[in-house]
């Protein structure tokens, strides 16, 4: 049954019944406590990526690798990152696979893709909280592609570390102002939660001035109160 | 959420400086008449997503004298035009601005608040972006599509001091009898409550159809995985059996989250655990009849589809009474919509404050995770993770299609 399912998978296309693939779905669940069966299943799924031209089939495989993929699947998935039709579904799998191999693959791809695909790599690195990508993301804050620059700001906010906050603070790009502001405030919340009141306060004071929108000044004021140990509830 | 001083209503001249067409003559509508407040005292609103639920939400806000409705956004030209026409007809002018891209609407400084009623895969991005733009938000339920989205939406709301209300009116209005019994203490200490709802959403593999004129398909998909247009894939009807976006995993959690937002919201309100999240999700397979038990840290159990149990059937402690507590309710006039507007004015938390709404959608997501993995789970609500369970933690979120991100 599983063999037949993999055969059907190679030619999967939108409009076809998904029932023939049910053995694969069932194997994903049933292999939970059978490591060897799961690794074999993973291997077959990853191999399918290079055995089919079907976009729908690749989409299906990536959804399954999101659930059971490991470092062993990273090369097959990374090979899709620069392909506009498959880049997102590759990240769909990669973003949820634990391990440094994924971060390294995303950082490598970040250097070779452009436009919205680059935004995708940035978003996934941010979502994974990859501290090692901060230097690359910091450089992108000044990117001429507005979407790339804003995505970098958002990702740095998602990472939320002191280094990320510093990178955001040293950016002077007006184009990313709203996203950078939000990201810095998110970093400040993390710094405060970690007990680094001094650096959190520095961020909040930066946004407390008259030149900021009212809701940003409100955020800064609340943050300064929190730094002083006063609840703003 | 913190309470800050009632914001000074902006002067009319500030509204006039916004980058939209503004009538030169200040009309009686602007100045206010009778019990209609002047424009400077009205909440200036826009709506994003104007289909089934969005259209009803628009009607509710348009019908309020303390709201000035100025903008609509939808990726379907038909709904967009209909939304603009409705507002223009209400005010007898052509001033309502229509946007295909919600970001243009959010960029307007003159808008105080927005209502959002898009498919669920858009909610988190739009709510967060709206908060970043300084807007208060009324977001239709279910407010989240993934577990990770909830804390980020709450953080954005709290960061900027925004009023963000979830959208289930049924939580307070549909289960009043059981709520009154529980809060009134006549059932004694509560042990459990059951919710019957479903099904889970499924993968969609519908065939490609031609994209109809006036539909921005790329924008409809937005952060969801690319897929060909099919009318059933994006239909906004309330079914969950394959003929609507509510049926499909990329856009919805299925009936489990859609009606689940009402039922789980009502159940957690009735037994007063709406400020908590479960810490155990126990999966049961009783001769093929699957159900889950969600156990709260205070010992109360919320069961889902437990055999032999009615929807919102409560198990109290027979023979015992408990001290009655006042039942929380809406502020202002006009149900959940009035509650939101009143809270926008007073900066109070609304009845369906985003944190409470996120907690009840989390119940749906946690139960769904147990069904999808066919096993029991532990949940650490403080860390927002399944502790020591790498497999389950993969279900916390999903990568969004470029260029969208939280």
């Amino acid at each position: 049954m599983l063999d037949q399912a993999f055969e059907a998978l190679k030619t999967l296309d939108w409009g076809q019944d998904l029932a023939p693939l049910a053995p694969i779905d069932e194997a994903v669940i049933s292999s939970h406590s059978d490591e060897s069966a799961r690794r074999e299943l993973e291997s077959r799924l990853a191999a399918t990526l290079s055995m089919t031209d079907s976009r729908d089939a690749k989409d299906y495989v990536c959804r399954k690798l999101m659930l059971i993929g490991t470092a062993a699947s990273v090369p097959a998935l990374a090979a899709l990152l620069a392909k506009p039709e498959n880049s997102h579904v590759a990240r769909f799998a990669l973003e949820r696979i634990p391990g440094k191999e994924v971060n390294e693959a995303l950082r490598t791809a970040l250097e070779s893709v452009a436009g919205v695909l680059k935004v995708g790599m940035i978003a996934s690195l941010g979502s994974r909280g990859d501290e090692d990508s901060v230097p690359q993301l910091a450089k992108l804050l000044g990117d001429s592609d507005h979407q790339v620059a804003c995505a970098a700001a958002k990702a740095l906010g998602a990472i939320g570390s002191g280094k990320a906050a510093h990178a955001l603070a040293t950016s002077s790009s007006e184009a990313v102002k709203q996203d950078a502001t939000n990201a810095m405030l998110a970093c400040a919340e993390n710094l405060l939660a970690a007990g680094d009141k001094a650096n959190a306060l520095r961020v909040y004071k930066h946004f407390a001035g008259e030149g900021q929108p009212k809701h940003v000044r409100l955020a800064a004021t609340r943050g300064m109160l929190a730094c002083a140990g006063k609840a703003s509830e | 959420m913190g309470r800050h001083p009632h914001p000074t209503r902006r002067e009319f001249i500030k509204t006039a400086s916004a980058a939209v067409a503004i009538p030169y003559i200040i009309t009686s509508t602007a100045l206010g008449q009778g019990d209609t407040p002047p424009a400077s005292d009205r909440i200036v609103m826009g709506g994003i997503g104007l289909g089934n639920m969005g259209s009803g939400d628009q009607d509710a806000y348009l019908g309020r004298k303390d709201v000035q409705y100025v903008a609509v956004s939808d990726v379907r030209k038909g709904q967009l035009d209909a939304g603009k026409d409705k507002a223009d007809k209400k005010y007898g002018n052509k001033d309502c601005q229509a946007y295909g891209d919600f970001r243009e609407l959010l960029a307007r400084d003159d808008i105080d608040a927005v209502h959002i009623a898009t498919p669920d895969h858009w909610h988190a991005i739009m709510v967060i972006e709206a908060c970043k733009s300084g807007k208060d938000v009324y977001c239709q339920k279910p407010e989240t599509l993934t577990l990770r989205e909830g804390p980020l939406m709450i953080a954005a709301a709290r960061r900027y001091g925004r009023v963000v209300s979830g959208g289930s009116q049924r939580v307070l209005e549909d289960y009043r009898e059981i709520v009154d019994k529980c809060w009134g203490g006549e059932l004694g200490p509560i042990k459990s409550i059951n919710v019957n709802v479903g099904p889970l959403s499924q993968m969609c593999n519908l065939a490609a159809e031609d994209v109809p004129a006036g539909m921005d398909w790329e924008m409809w998909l937005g952060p969801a995985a690319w897929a060909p247009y099919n009318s059933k894939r994006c239909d906004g009807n309330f079914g969950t059996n394959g003929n609507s976006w509510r049926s499909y995993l990329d856009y919805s959690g299925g009936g489990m989250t859609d009606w689940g937002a009402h039922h789980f919201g009502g159940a957690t309100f009735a037994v007063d655990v709406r400020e908590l999240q479960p810490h155990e999700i126990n999966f049961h397979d009783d001769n093929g009849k699957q159900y889950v038990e969600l156990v709260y840290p205070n010992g109360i159990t919320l069961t889902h589809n437990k055999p032999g149990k009615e929807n919102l059937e409560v198990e109290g402690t027979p023979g015992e009474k408990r001290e009655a507590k006042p039942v929380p309710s809406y502020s202002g006039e006009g149900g959940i919509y009035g509650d939101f507007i009143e809270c926008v004015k007073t900066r109070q938390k609304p009845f369906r404050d985003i944190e409470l709404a996120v907690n009840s959608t989390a119940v749906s997501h946690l139960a769904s995770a147990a069904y999808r993995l066919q096993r029991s789970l532990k949940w650490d609500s403080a860390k927002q993770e399944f502790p020591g369970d790498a497999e389950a933690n993969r279900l916390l979120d999903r990568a969004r299609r470029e260029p969208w991100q939280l």
Side-chain angles (χ1 to χ4, degrees):
Chain A
M1 292 291 282
L2 195 58
D3 289 344
Q4 290 169 318
F6 269 100
E7 204 53 41
L9 174 58
K10 289 179 194 167
T11 56
L12 181 67
D13 200 3
W14 280 285
Q16 292 177 3
D17 187 0
L18 289 171
L21 307 183
I24 300 175
D25 297 334
E26 290 160 11
V28 166
I29 300 302
S30 65
S31 63
H32 166 65
S33 51
D34 185 342
E35 185 63 18
S36 145
R38 180 160 282 193
R39 294 293 69 86
E40 185 181 343
L41 182 64
E42 178 191 3
S43 175
R44 292 185 75 171
L45 284 165
T48 303
L49 290 174
S50 60
M51 294 162 62
T52 178
D53 292 326
S54 162
R55 181 175 185 173
D56 197 18
K58 287 186 167 70
D59 182 297
Y60 176 91
V61 167
C62 289
R63 288 169 188 271
K64 300 305 156 190
L65 289 175
M66 171 207 180
L67 298 170
I68 66 164
T70 66
S73 294
V74 171
L77 290 165
L80 302 178
L81 287 174
K83 298 182 177 178
E85 285 198 346
N86 310 123
S87 188
H88 169 244
V89 290
R91 287 191 301 105
F92 198 92
L94 288 166
E95 196 171 300
R96 306 308 305 164
I97 296 174
K100 62 180 174 49
E101 293 85 356
V102 172
N103 295 346
E104 288 165 0
L106 290 167
R107 290 199 298 266
T108 300
L110 183 60
E111 298 298 326
S112 63
V113 296
V116 292
L117 297 193
K118 199 179 202 72
V119 170
M121 303 310 141
I122 294 167
S124 286
L125 286 164
S127 180
R128 291 174 64 83
D130 180 35
E131 179 81 30
D132 290 343
S133 67
V134 168
Q136 280 173 281
L137 295 174
K139 286 180 190 167
L140 295 174
L141 287 171
D143 199 278
S144 58
D145 183 333
H146 178 251
Q147 285 193 114
V148 167
C150 288
K154 287 181 181 177
L156 287 165
I159 293 167
S161 65
K163 284 181 185 172
H166 179 73
L168 287 159
T170 52
S171 166
S172 57
S173 171
E174 192 66 21
V176 301
K177 189 173 181 182
Q178 189 186 63
D179 287 319
T181 297
N182 187 61
M184 284 187 72
L185 290 169
C187 289
E189 289 160 13
N190 285 349
L191 292 168
L192 183 58
D196 188 353
K197 288 186 181 179
N199 279 315
L201 190 60
R202 194 165 294 130
V203 174
Y204 289 130
K205 280 184 174 175
H206 179 75
F207 291 113
E210 285 296 316
Q212 301 293 339
K214 190 166 65 177
H215 64 289
V216 172
R217 277 186 280 131
L218 174 63
T221 303
R222 291 162 60 86
M224 288 192 290
L225 284 169
C227 288
K230 295 173 184 171
S232 59
E233 289 289 329
Chain B
M1 186 176 66
R3 295 173 186 176
H4 48 84
H6 189 301
T8 306
R9 302 302 312 152
R10 56 183 49 78
E11 296 171 0
F12 184 73
I13 191 68
K14 183 175 179 187
T15 303
S17 69
V20 293
I22 298 295
Y24 178 70
I25 298 170
I26 299 176
T27 63
S28 59
T29 302
L31 294 172
Q33 271 186 326
D35 59 350
T36 301
S40 58
D41 285 346
R42 285 177 236 155
I43 304 301
V44 180
M45 285 195 74
I48 304 171
L50 299 161
N52 282 352
M53 292 309 299
S55 177
D57 293 347
Q58 185 190 23
D59 289 343
Y61 289 118
L62 265 179
R64 296 189 63 88
K65 291 175 179 172
D66 50 2
V67 166
Q68 186 75 24
Y69 201 100
V70 301
V72 288
S73 176
D74 202 293
V75 299
R76 301 158 298 177
K77 191 170 187 311
Q79 274 79 358
L80 187 64
D81 290 346
K84 171 178 165 52
D85 289 347
K86 206 189 289 185
D88 287 346
K89 191 175 177 185
K90 162 79 178 174
Y91 298 123
N93 58 32
K94 298 287 182 188
D95 292 350
C96 182
Q97 299 292 305
Y99 303 96
D101 188 328
F102 71 95
R103 291 170 293 190
E104 294 179 64
L105 187 153
L106 293 181
R108 282 180 55 169
D109 287 338
D110 63 319
I111 293 177
D112 299 305
V114 294
H115 66 86
I116 296 171
T118 59
D120 306 348
H121 62 286
W122 269 114
H123 287 173
I125 287 173
M126 288 179 175
V127 167
I128 292 168
E129 291 300 315
C131 290
K132 284 164 61 178
S133 302
K135 312 288 188 271
D136 295 321
V137 186
Y138 176 90
C139 179
Q140 264 300 338
K141 59 84 204 165
E143 293 75 8
T144 61
L145 184 62
T146 73
L147 283 159
R148 178 175 172 250
E149 290 174 345
L152 296 176
M153 294 160 81
I154 296 166
R158 301 294 188 255
R159 183 174 301 143
Y160 296 111
R162 296 299 92 198
V163 173
V164 181
S165 172
S168 172
Q169 78 288 357
R170 296 180 185 275
V171 169
L172 181 64
E173 297 166 22
D174 277 19
Y175 319 103
R176 198 57 202 248
E177 187 179 350
I178 193 67
V179 166
D180 285 345
K181 281 183 181 175
C182 292
W183 285 70
E186 66 180 90
L187 299 177
I190 304 298
K191 293 178 178 171
S192 70
I193 188 166
N194 181 66
V195 165
N196 294 331
V197 74
L200 270 64
S201 54
Q202 55 194 298
M203 273 188 66
C204 181
N205 206 46
L206 290 166
E209 295 174 353
D210 291 337
V211 180
M215 159 67 95
D216 184 344
W217 182 238
E218 282 296 317
M219 198 66 173
W220 189 92
L221 287 170
W226 185 87
Y229 172 85
N230 183 291
S231 56
K232 290 180 181 176
R233 186 185 285 272
C234 58
D235 194 298
N237 76 69
F238 299 119
T240 51
N241 292 315
N243 294 323
S244 69
W245 60 258
R246 287 180 170 83
S247 312
Y248 295 117
L249 194 59
D250 283 353
Y251 327 114
S252 169
M256 179 66 115
T257 58
D258 196 56
W259 265 96
H262 296 312
H263 292 332
F264 287 123
T268 56
F269 177 45
V271 303
D272 197 14
V273 291
R274 61 192 183 136
E275 295 184 2
L276 305 173
Q277 292 185 4
H279 66 162
E280 285 180 21
I281 308 98
N282 297 318
F283 174 78
H284 297 271
D285 191 335
D286 188 359
N287 292 321
K289 178 66 180 172
Q290 298 183 345
Y291 69 98
V292 298
E293 292 176 323
L294 301 114
V295 184
Y296 282 83
N298 62 5
I300 290 178
T301 298
L302 171 54
T303 56
H304 173 253
N305 285 0
K306 188 170 185 180
K309 292 281 189 183
E310 298 292 328
N311 191 36
L312 268 79
E313 183 177 330
V314 178
E315 181 189 8
T317 306
E320 289 190 32
K321 297 278 184 188
R322 211 180 51 182
E323 190 176 347
K325 302 180 291 186
V327 181
S329 191
Y330 298 140
S331 303
E333 300 288 330
I336 196 168
Y337 301 107
D339 180 65
F340 173 66
I341 294 298
E342 182 67 12
C343 291
V344 169
K345 294 175 186 172
T346 62
R347 313 314 295 170
Q348 306 285 319
K349 283 181 183 175
F351 176 79
R352 286 302 283 166
D353 174 60
I354 186 64
E355 189 165 352
L356 304 182
V358 163
N359 284 344
S360 46
T361 53
V363 173
S364 302
H365 298 317
L366 293 170
S368 296
Y371 285 117
R372 293 196 190 284
L373 296 174
Q374 295 280 289
R375 62 184 176 86
S376 298
L377 304 164
K378 304 283 187 193
W379 177 244
D380 184 332
S381 61
K383 292 182 178 173
Q384 289 288 297
E385 65 180 27
F386 299 99
D389 192 336
E391 183 184 51
N393 282 328
R394 296 183 186 217
L395 301 180
L396 292 176
D397 198 28
R398 55 186 75 160
R400 285 155 191 81
R401 189 169 66 112
E402 56 277 353
W404 301 103
Q405 72 192 109
L406 292 177

